[in-house]
Amino acid sequence: MQELLPYLINGISVGGQYALIAIGYTLVYGILRLINFAHGDVFMVAGLVMVYATTSMPFYIALPLVLIATVILGFVIERVAYKPLRSAPRMSLMISAIGVSYLIQNLAFYITGGVPQPVSNPIPWISENVTILGASTKRVTLVTPVLTILLVVALVYLINHTKIGMAMRAAAKDFETAQLMGIKINAVISMTFVIGSFLAAVGSMLYFTNYPSVAITSGGMPGLKAFVAAVFGGIGSIPGAVVGAFIIGLCEEIIKGLGYTTFSDAFTFALLIVVLCVKPTGLFGEKVTDKV
Amino acid sequence: MLKIENLHVNYGGIQALRGISLEVPDGKIVTLIGANGAGKSTTLRTITGLVKAASGSIQWNGEELLGKSIDKIVTSGIAMSPEGRRVFPDMTVLENLKIGAYLRKDKAEIEKDIKWVYSLFPRLEERSWQLAGTLSGGEQQMLAVGRALMSRPKLMMLDEPSLGLAPLVVQDIFSIIREINRQGVTVLLIEQNANMALKIADLAYVLETGTITMSGTGAELLADERVKEAYLGKNS
Ligand SMILES: Nc1ncnc2c1ncn2[C@@H]1O[C@H](COP(=O)(O)OP(=O)(O)O)[C@@H](O)[C@H]1O
Ligand SMILES: [Mg+2]
């Protein structure tokens, strides 16, 4: 047990990072019925911006800048690549998302020259070592789950108890009737991309402080894992995405702790296949309704 | 007053409305009857801005509505209870009513109007905390009407409120439509249930495949042989 402890702590932390990404998938799916394939790349861009910003300015300016830049990126992607396809078949939207994903990676390649950008202690306080229950770890490992929970609570409050949240719930159910209430559908959709990108940016900063570098493909794996978490939890459901993310993060780390590191990624994708076969709606998912 | 002139609406190649003209005078109950697919819903959806017109005009108190955004149209005092009710199933009855007042900022007045809707539909008040998806069809229709009233409309449009409801429930709904009208709200009512609609209508229009073929007072159309044959059945 004592040997597994660091892995458990790590698992909760990794789960929190997945959760912050997974919420973006699940929110966008909830309202557009779209798997936003570009979301992992938005996550990667946030990492790159963090690397560039923290090396050229103090971190209290750099970190807000990362948040703002990522939010703008998410907003612009929706306006340019998804909004013009509002009444197009869902397949067109999906292809557009895949296109955006490659476009972002190629732009990142152009900017970085394809060289992974080294991460050098961007947020000093968070990278310091601490000891918990006899296990030594970086402070970020403890900060991540706490911050994740706080953000999720804030988001759930926003969705259930504010006017914009009510508009988001209405739009997720029925575009037309939401419009009849006077809700501006485009503003609500933009809002979901803003929230999703904001959370991905937070997740990205926490994630990459633990990594030596950010490469143009760095969004791929965490993006996929978070996507699996969202499907596992029941895509469209926020609690589902969070619970799914923590379960996957924990399982991966436990598998590593047991000495089967090679299989930890395979486990996640095996889980995806099993979920899709056994309970396609996931843990908390409702029946998939086709929206007109 | 709402005044529609020579309105054309197409869906791709399908001509749903082929130049209709009609008037809804203030304070009246006007009904538009017609068979399935005649273009009744299209008419209402074009007024609210959900569907774009090809040509023609829709004047509301002298102002052109075509080209305006839906929220502007709602703010100008037009509300609709859509076909099939379309309440938000995962929201409570109270939330459904609140979302009907989405564009309003006058909190105290909104509270008053919730009380007003509850006084019109006491059954909704009893079910305030119930999820709308668990209501019966009749209750959902009441909620759809109540939700539309929450924007405090001058013109209330109802798309087939009697659809799929038991006769007794339909009578309830219709008597409340009259009550709403008595309180000063103009009503534009769409129905396949022509008998009930014509009985409460001041003014009525018959729509057939995108064209208005007859108009008159409710009583006139109720007595008309052609209407009797086509919409009321032999025994009515
Ligand atoms: N979204 C749509 N796309 C294509 N055709 C439509 C659409 N909505 C309605 N129509 C067609 O327009 C005509 C009028 O429909 P509608 O206004 O719904 O009739 P009603 O409400 O009188 O039953 C019908 O022929 C219908 O098939
Ligand atoms: Mg209809």
Side-chain angles (χ1 to χ4, degrees):
Chain A
M1 194 61 211
Q2 195 58 35
E3 301 88 76
L4 267 186
L5 188 67
Y7 290 97
L8 288 178
I9 296 173
N10 235 3
I12 294 173
S13 172
V14 172
Q17 288 155 4
Y18 290 164
L20 291 173
I21 316 173
I23 290 170
Y25 281 111
T26 228
L27 279 180
V28 167
Y29 182 86
I31 204 150
L32 287 183
R33 301 289 184 272
L34 162 75
I35 309 293
N36 181 14
F37 287 104
H39 193 54
D41 303 288
V42 170
F43 173 83
M44 175 273 292
V45 169
L48 277 183
V49 175
M50 176 175 78
V51 167
Y52 290 133
T54 49
T55 48
S56 56
M57 52 188 90
F59 75 95
Y60 54 86
I61 301 179
L63 301 188
L65 191 76
V66 176
L67 293 174
I68 292 167
T70 314
V71 161
I72 291 175
L73 178 64
F75 175 84
V76 169
I77 289 173
E78 195 282 316
R79 282 293 150 120
V80 173
Y82 305 150
K83 184 172 171 234
L85 298 172
R86 211 64 98 215
S87 49
R90 191 124 348 116
M91 186 58 90
S92 315
L93 205 57
M94 213 165 90
I95 292 167
S96 186
I98 294 171
V100 171
S101 168
Y102 280 103
L103 177 67
I104 293 177
Q105 286 187 28
N106 280 294
L107 284 176
F109 185 92
Y110 178 77
I111 291 166
T112 61
V115 182
Q117 301 297 299
V119 178
S120 55
N121 198 13
I123 318 169
W125 179 78
I126 215 173
S127 310
E128 283 166 16
N129 281 316
V130 291
T131 313
I132 172 170
L133 303 173
S136 165
T137 179
K138 283 185 178 179
R139 194 170 268 139
V140 64
T141 324
L142 305 179
V143 169
T144 301
V146 175
L147 191 57
T148 303
I149 298 297
L150 287 179
L151 287 170
V152 168
V153 168
L155 177 64
V156 168
Y157 180 85
L158 177 95
I159 287 179
N160 288 332
H161 299 284
T162 67
K163 214 166 165 180
I164 178 75
M166 194 193 241
M168 286 170 71
R169 282 185 290 148
K173 265 289 171 245
D174 185 341
F175 268 7
E176 271 197 359
T177 311
Q179 283 175 288
L180 275 181
M181 305 296 113
I183 292 167
K184 294 183 197 73
I185 246 34
N186 289 326
V188 171
I189 293 172
S190 290
M191 187 70 187
T192 61
F193 277 82
V194 163
I195 295 172
S197 308
F198 176 87
L199 295 177
V202 175
S204 179
M205 292 191 279
L206 297 168
Y207 181 87
F208 285 113
T209 47
N210 255 342
Y211 273 73
S213 64
V214 185
I216 63 166
T217 51
S218 291
M221 237 347 148
L224 264 177
K225 302 279 183 62
F227 170 66
V228 175
V231 173
F232 178 46
I235 192 142
S237 155
I238 293 172
V242 175
V243 172
F246 278 113
I247 291 178
I248 287 180
L250 271 171
C251 289
E252 283 188 350
E253 291 299 315
I254 290 172
I255 291 171
K256 284 183 191 165
L258 295 174
Y260 299 106
T261 306
T262 347
F263 296 107
S264 80
D265 287 350
F267 161 80
T268 306
F269 299 111
L271 182 68
L272 175 65
I273 295 169
V274 171
V275 169
L276 289 178
C277 292
V278 176
K279 195 165 186 297
T281 54
L283 292 177
F284 296 79
E286 29 181 326
K287 264 226 312 275
V288 185
T289 46
D290 240 358
K291 218 163 62 171
V292 246
Chain B
M1 159 153 116
L2 184 81
K3 191 167 178 196
I4 298 180
E5 268 173 40
N6 202 21
L7 183 67
H8 286 80
V9 176
N10 307 325
Y11 294 107
I14 305 166
Q15 287 188 298
L17 295 180
R18 311 166 183 224
I20 64 163
S21 300
L22 62 87
E23 285 182 12
V24 183
D26 287 344
K28 303 283 189 218
I29 298 181
V30 177
T31 186
L32 187 60
I33 60 173
N36 207 1
K40 304 181 299 295
S41 297
T42 302
T43 307
L44 290 201
R45 291 158 56 80
T46 311
I47 298 170
T48 59
L50 276 172
V51 173
K52 300 277 163 276
S55 65
S57 105
I58 302 177
Q59 304 257 321
W60 169 236
N61 297 331
E63 233 182 298
E64 181 60 53
L65 289 187
L66 290 184
K68 278 199 174 182
S69 63
I70 304 172
D71 55 297
K72 294 265 160 52
I73 293 172
V74 174
T75 310
S76 78
I78 297 179
M80 169 158 111
S81 154
E83 184 173 343
R85 329 189 215 293
R86 309 272 283 260
V87 295
F88 295 108
D90 301 338
M91 294 188 190
T92 63
V93 167
L94 185 60
E95 279 182 308
N96 267 278
L97 292 180
K98 282 188 174 160
I99 207 167
Y102 185 77
L103 290 172
R104 295 171 55 185
K105 304 212 159 48
D106 43 347
K107 278 218 167 105
E109 290 295 304
I110 293 174
E111 286 302 319
K112 249 191 231 166
D113 285 350
I114 290 176
K115 295 223 173 71
W116 171 51
V117 169
Y118 280 158
S119 72
L120 288 170
F121 302 104
R123 293 174 67 154
L124 292 184
E125 181 160 28
E126 293 160 22
R127 291 165 173 73
S128 193
W129 299 105
Q130 198 172 321
L131 293 184
T134 64
L135 297 175
S136 74
E139 290 158 357
Q140 289 193 6
Q141 185 59 55
M142 293 174 190
L143 183 54
V145 174
R147 183 180 63 182
L149 286 174
M150 286 304 296
S151 67
R152 213 184 250 188
K154 297 188 197 78
L155 170 64
M156 170 77 162
M157 306 196 293
L158 300 114
D159 196 339
E160 302 206 30
S162 72
L163 195 72
L165 300 183
L168 272 178
V169 182
V170 175
Q171 286 199 342
D172 272 2
I173 303 262
F174 270 69
S175 74
I176 284 165
I177 293 171
R178 274 168 117 153
E179 175 57 30
I180 293 166
N181 176 250
R182 258 198 296 274
Q183 298 193 12
V185 181
T186 308
V187 172
L188 175 54
L189 170 67
I190 278 185
E191 268 299 344
Q192 283 191 56
N193 188 342
N195 193 11
M196 291 283 285
L198 290 175
K199 273 181 188 152
I200 68 164
D202 299 303
L203 202 59
Y205 293 88
V206 177
L207 190 61
E208 283 173 16
T209 54
T211 320
I212 295 214
T213 52
M214 266 184 270
S215 64
T217 64
E220 276 168 10
L221 291 199
L222 211 46
D224 190 285
E225 286 304 321
R226 289 166 298 173
V227 174
K228 272 189 188 165
E229 191 147 329
Y231 300 103
L232 301 177
K234 293 271 159 11
N235 310 325
S236 308

